[in-house]
Amino acid sequence: MNDLPICVTCGVQYGASRDDCPICEDERQYVGWQGQRWTSLAELSAAGHRAVVSEEGPGV
């Protein structure tokens, strides 16, 4: 699961490798000058990224 592809532009994770991201294929979506790029949870973790889940406030 840590090696599933994640689109760098929109952040959507897919269940299998792919050449395109349907969200980023839309002409209204910004894609950087480097073009379509992919990462994975393993790469993000190795780069020091961490997920933090915290409560927004009481009852939220």
Side-chain angles (χ1 to χ4, degrees):
M1 182 147 155
N2 283 340
D3 62 342
L4 296 176
I6 300 172
C7 175
V8 171
T9 301
C10 69
V12 173
Q13 184 177 35
Y14 294 96
S17 295
R18 54 184 311 134
D19 294 327
D20 66 336
C21 172
I23 293 171
C24 294
E25 289 289 308
D26 188 304
E27 64 186 33
R28 299 168 291 177
Q29 174 66 33
Y30 169 80
V31 176
W33 292 108
Q34 300 87 4
Q36 184 66 54
R37 295 184 306 138
W38 298 94
T39 190
S40 67
L41 288 176
E43 289 176 12
L44 291 171
S45 180
H49 294 274
R50 300 287 180 262
V52 175
V53 179
S54 60
E55 190 173 319
E56 282 288 321
V60 178

